[in-house]
Amino acid sequence: MTFASADEIRAMLREVLAEDWMGLPPWARNLAYRLACLQRPDDPELLREAAADLLCFGPDRDAEAEDLKRRAAELEQ
């Protein structure tokens, strides 16, 4: 995953999560989305997808999720 493209990471996440929503532990999902967002910091769809995933696992990452959603909204303006 370290050298995968953002598209490859998203495809892997979609495949694994469609099969078993808890198939990846939260830390692995966070890492995967972080790597994808680092490659595509200007992709509002990806930023929202990452934010939605962060919000699924409790309040610890809510601030980061809200920041991602804010950045996505700014990019679309």
Side-chain angles (χ1 to χ4, degrees):
M1 177 171 70
T2 303
F3 299 104
S5 71
D7 288 335
E8 291 169 327
I9 292 169
R10 288 174 87 182
M12 178 275 301
L13 285 166
R14 287 185 179 132
E15 183 178 327
V16 169
L17 299 178
E19 205 172 287
D20 178 5
W21 190 76
M22 290 301 296
L24 285 175
W27 67 265
R29 293 163 75 138
N30 292 345
L31 177 61
Y33 276 114
R34 182 174 295 260
L35 289 170
C37 288
L38 284 171
Q39 291 180 39
R40 289 219 186 120
D42 298 329
D43 183 338
E45 182 182 328
L46 174 58
L47 296 177
R48 281 197 189 87
E49 187 178 322
D53 196 71
L54 282 174
L55 290 170
C56 292
F57 295 101
D60 293 347
R61 300 285 184 228
D62 285 0
E64 289 89 347
E66 292 305 320
D67 183 52
L68 288 170
K69 291 193 301 186
R70 180 190 54 73
R71 286 176 37 205
E74 287 174 359
L75 288 168
E76 289 185 326
Q77 291 181 4

